[in-house]
Amino acid sequence: MNTETSVEELFKRYSDMVYRIAISYGNNASMAEDVVQEVFVRFLKKAPHLTFENEQHEKAWFIRVAVNCCKSMLTCAWMKRIRPLEEAEPVPAPFCREEEGELYQILASLPAKYRIVLYLRYYEEYSVKEIAGLLHVTANTVSLRLLRAKKRMKQEILQKKEEEYNGTEIIQRHV
């Protein structure tokens, strides 16, 4: 693992995943880039002493370190005092369909603890038990967070649909 090529391979393999975890955790692109950098700096510092049992263990290490970096960055004094540029001027995410963008907006409005379990469960396809191990919480906590996250998303989607329906109904009355 000490060669440059293996570090490059690991970066190619895990950088996107770490970035997506950071985005889902912090909802901030610049923070996500910093997290990716920090995770790989930590890897390079620990590389001589790290031995992974298999590829799953390696992936779990990167996920765990990414989550820890996100938590550290979100609780540092600097992050508490600044307001990210994304909050000041929202930039629409590039999606093929409008529904995907709306779904992303709803997902982004959830608290980080819900976003991360949704990401790990449905994008990385980890089981509840595996997510519990990665996040150092109980399986029941993960199940509850998944349930609450899906419930909140469903409420938001239904609320948006109701607002759209009421808006078109009002327009039709005036026409």
Side-chain angles (χ1 to χ4, degrees):
M1 289 271 174
N2 294 340
T3 65
E4 246 182 70
T5 55
S6 64
V7 173
E8 286 178 26
E9 288 172 14
L10 287 172
F11 186 80
K12 287 177 185 173
R13 191 179 313 152
Y14 296 117
S15 63
D16 286 341
M17 177 191 67
V18 170
Y19 182 82
R20 288 189 304 266
I21 288 170
I23 281 287
S24 70
Y25 212 93
N27 216 10
N28 179 327
S30 60
M31 186 198 90
E33 292 167 358
D34 291 344
V35 167
V36 171
Q37 181 177 343
E38 180 62 24
V39 167
F40 282 93
V41 166
R42 288 184 187 187
F43 172 77
L44 290 171
K45 287 180 181 177
K46 301 262 186 195
H49 308 291
L50 282 176
T51 53
F52 298 114
E53 297 167 9
N54 53 35
E55 196 171 313
Q56 284 298 93
H57 181 234
E58 182 180 81
K59 185 177 181 180
W61 186 89
F62 279 96
I63 290 172
R64 183 70 240 162
V65 173
V67 169
N68 287 343
C69 286
C70 289
K71 287 181 179 180
S72 296
M73 286 192 178
L74 289 173
T75 58
C76 76
W78 172 253
M79 289 300 283
K80 289 179 182 177
R81 290 190 179 126
I82 65 166
R83 187 171 141 205
L85 187 58
E86 288 91 356
E87 285 181 17
E89 298 173 20
V91 178
F95 291 101
C96 296
R97 297 188 323 234
E98 186 179 331
E99 297 87 22
E100 291 174 348
E102 290 173 2
L103 187 61
Y104 176 79
Q105 293 296 333
I106 293 169
L107 182 63
S109 70
L110 294 176
K113 65 183 180 181
Y114 296 145
R115 288 192 308 262
I116 192 68
V117 293
L118 286 172
Y119 171 78
L120 291 173
R121 179 71 182 110
Y122 296 108
Y123 194 83
E124 293 296 331
E125 298 180 350
Y126 278 101
S127 69
V128 170
K129 187 176 180 181
E130 291 169 326
I131 295 169
L134 290 169
L135 299 179
H136 297 298
V137 296
T138 66
N140 287 341
T141 301
V142 172
S143 295
L144 187 61
R145 287 179 183 175
L146 282 168
L147 182 70
R148 288 179 178 170
K150 289 189 281 187
K151 185 177 179 181
R152 280 189 173 189
M153 287 191 70
K154 182 179 178 181
Q155 288 172 341
E156 289 289 325
I157 291 169
L158 291 174
Q159 183 179 0
K160 270 192 179 264
K161 293 295 179 189
E162 186 177 314
E163 288 171 1
E164 288 175 10
Y165 176 75
N166 289 339
T168 57
E169 189 175 276
I170 291 170
I171 291 170
Q172 289 175 351
R173 284 185 199 163
H174 292 295
V175 172

